[in-house]
Amino acid sequence: QVQPVEFGGGLVQAGGSLRLSCRGFGFAFGRNAMGWFRQAPGKEREYVATIAGSGGRLFYADSVKGRFTIPRDKSEKMVYLQMDRLEPEDPAVYYCSQSVTPYTSTRPEDSDHWGQGAQVTVSS
Protein backbone atom coordinates (compact mmCIF):
# COMPACT_ATOMS: atom_id res chain seq x y z
CA GLN A 1 0.00 0.00 0.00
CA VAL A 2 1.48 3.35 -1.03
CA GLN A 3 -1.45 5.65 -0.41
CA PRO A 4 -4.12 6.10 2.20
CA VAL A 5 -7.37 4.26 1.55
CA GLU A 6 -10.67 5.87 2.40
CA PHE A 7 -13.96 4.33 3.42
CA GLY A 8 -17.36 5.89 3.87
CA GLY A 9 -19.12 8.82 2.34
CA GLY A 10 -22.66 8.93 1.02
CA LEU A 11 -25.87 10.87 1.32
CA VAL A 12 -27.10 12.40 4.54
CA GLN A 13 -29.76 14.93 5.47
CA ALA A 14 -28.78 18.39 6.61
CA GLY A 15 -28.21 18.31 10.34
CA GLY A 16 -27.22 14.66 10.25
CA SER A 17 -23.92 12.89 10.84
CA LEU A 18 -21.48 10.90 8.78
CA ARG A 19 -18.10 9.36 9.49
CA LEU A 20 -15.27 8.91 7.02
CA SER A 21 -12.46 6.45 7.66
CA CYS A 22 -8.94 6.42 6.31
CA ARG A 23 -6.36 3.67 6.62
CA GLY A 24 -2.83 5.02 6.51
CA PHE A 25 0.33 3.13 5.75
CA GLY A 26 3.96 2.74 6.74
CA PHE A 27 5.80 1.90 9.93
CA ALA A 28 6.02 5.62 10.81
CA PHE A 29 2.27 6.21 10.63
CA GLY A 30 2.07 7.29 14.27
CA ARG A 31 4.61 10.03 13.60
CA ASN A 32 3.00 11.28 10.38
CA ALA A 33 0.63 14.20 10.21
CA MET A 34 -2.77 13.22 8.83
CA GLY A 35 -5.40 15.47 7.39
CA TRP A 36 -8.72 15.82 5.66
CA PHE A 37 -9.34 18.16 2.76
CA ARG A 38 -12.37 18.62 0.55
CA GLN A 39 -13.09 19.79 -2.96
CA ALA A 40 -16.47 20.94 -4.23
CA PRO A 41 -17.23 21.19 -7.96
CA GLY A 42 -15.56 24.22 -9.50
CA LYS A 43 -13.61 25.00 -6.35
CA GLU A 44 -10.09 24.43 -5.17
CA ARG A 45 -9.23 21.76 -2.64
CA GLU A 46 -9.54 23.22 0.82
CA TYR A 47 -8.32 22.31 4.26
CA VAL A 48 -10.80 20.77 6.72
CA ALA A 49 -8.87 19.30 9.65
CA THR A 50 -5.45 17.95 10.54
CA ILE A 51 -3.82 16.00 13.33
CA ALA A 52 -0.11 16.33 13.98
CA GLY A 53 2.19 13.35 14.25
CA SER A 54 3.45 12.12 17.63
CA GLY A 55 1.72 14.62 19.93
CA GLY A 56 -1.53 14.59 17.99
CA ARG A 57 -2.34 18.28 18.17
CA LEU A 58 -5.60 19.00 16.34
CA PHE A 59 -6.47 21.82 13.96
CA TYR A 60 -9.78 22.63 12.32
CA ALA A 61 -10.93 25.03 9.65
CA ASP A 62 -13.26 27.69 11.02
CA SER A 63 -16.08 26.42 8.81
CA VAL A 64 -16.14 23.03 10.56
CA LYS A 65 -14.94 23.88 14.06
CA GLY A 66 -17.32 22.52 16.66
CA ARG A 67 -18.99 20.17 14.15
CA PHE A 68 -16.19 17.92 12.88
CA THR A 69 -13.58 15.94 14.77
CA ILE A 70 -10.55 13.93 13.59
CA PRO A 71 -9.89 10.97 15.87
CA ARG A 72 -6.94 8.69 15.18
CA ASP A 73 -6.18 5.09 16.14
CA LYS A 74 -2.43 4.59 15.80
CA SER A 75 -2.56 0.87 16.52
CA GLU A 76 -4.88 0.31 13.54
CA LYS A 77 -3.28 3.01 11.37
CA MET A 78 -6.68 4.64 11.07
CA VAL A 79 -7.81 8.23 11.08
CA TYR A 80 -11.44 9.32 10.96
CA LEU A 81 -13.44 12.40 10.14
CA GLN A 82 -16.55 12.52 12.29
CA MET A 83 -18.93 15.02 10.76
CA ASP A 84 -21.89 16.19 12.81
CA ARG A 85 -24.56 18.80 12.08
CA LEU A 86 -23.80 18.66 8.37
CA GLU A 87 -24.76 21.77 6.45
CA PRO A 88 -25.68 22.47 2.81
CA GLU A 89 -22.19 24.01 2.38
CA ASP A 90 -20.42 20.75 3.29
CA PRO A 91 -20.99 18.58 0.18
CA ALA A 92 -17.73 17.78 -1.60
CA VAL A 93 -15.30 15.02 -2.33
CA TYR A 94 -13.36 14.52 0.88
CA TYR A 95 -9.72 13.45 0.70
CA CYS A 96 -7.52 11.91 3.35
CA SER A 97 -3.90 13.00 3.33
CA GLN A 98 -0.76 11.63 4.93
CA SER A 99 2.48 13.54 5.30
CA VAL A 100 5.93 12.06 5.82
CA THR A 101 6.59 14.62 8.57
CA PRO A 102 4.74 15.20 11.85
CA TYR A 103 3.93 18.78 10.90
CA THR A 104 0.48 19.83 9.80
CA SER A 105 -0.31 22.30 7.06
CA THR A 106 -3.43 23.91 5.67
CA ARG A 107 -1.94 23.83 2.16
CA PRO A 108 -2.84 20.77 0.05
CA GLU A 109 0.52 20.95 -1.73
CA ASP A 110 2.28 20.18 1.56
CA SER A 111 0.68 16.72 1.82
CA ASP A 112 2.64 13.81 0.39
CA HIS A 113 0.04 11.10 -0.11
CA TRP A 114 -3.65 11.22 -0.91
CA GLY A 115 -6.57 8.88 -0.62
CA GLN A 116 -8.88 8.24 -3.52
CA GLY A 117 -11.61 10.57 -2.25
CA ALA A 118 -15.08 9.98 -0.84
CA GLN A 119 -18.21 11.78 -1.99
CA VAL A 120 -20.32 13.43 0.69
CA THR A 121 -23.74 14.71 -0.31
CA VAL A 122 -26.06 16.64 1.97
CA SER A 123 -29.76 16.92 1.21
CA SER A 124 -31.80 19.82 2.52
Side-chain angles (χ1 to χ4, degrees), residues 66-117:
R67 301 188 297 121
F68 292 11
T69 57
I70 181 171
R72 179 171 64 184
D73 183 339
K74 290 183 180 180
S75 64
E76 297 293 331
K77 296 186 180 179
M78 295 292 293
V79 66
Y80 306 92
L81 185 67
Q82 178 64 42
M83 303 181 287
D84 297 322
R85 303 199 309 275
L86 281 157
E87 299 175 351
E89 294 74 27
D90 294 321
V93 177
Y94 282 70
Y95 295 92
C96 173
S97 73
Q98 182 169 350
S99 298
V100 299
T101 75
Y103 309 111
T104 61
S105 175
T106 61
R107 305 192 316 165
E109 56 266 36
D110 290 336
S111 292
D112 299 294
H113 304 282
W114 293 95
Q116 77 278 17

Side-chain angles (χ1 to χ4, degrees), residues 11-94:
L11 173 65
V12 64
Q13 282 191 325
S17 298
L18 198 63
R19 188 174 83 160
L20 303 178
S21 303
C22 174
R23 183 180 304 280
F25 67 96
F27 67 90
F29 171 82
R31 298 192 297 273
N32 296 155
M34 300 293 295
W36 290 95
F37 291 75
R38 66 187 180 186
Q39 189 166 17
K43 296 187 177 181
E44 294 186 348
R45 192 168 297 191
E46 66 173 5
Y47 156 75
V48 175
T50 53
I51 181 168
S54 300
R57 189 175 177 186
L58 305 173
F59 299 89
Y60 297 97
D62 288 342
S63 59
V64 306
K65 200 171 294 183
R67 301 188 297 121
F68 292 11
T69 57
I70 181 171
R72 179 171 64 184
D73 183 339
K74 290 183 180 180
S75 64
E76 297 293 331
K77 296 186 180 179
M78 295 292 293
V79 66
Y80 306 92
L81 185 67
Q82 178 64 42
M83 303 181 287
D84 297 322
R85 303 199 309 275
L86 281 157
E87 299 175 351
E89 294 74 27
D90 294 321
V93 177
Y94 282 70

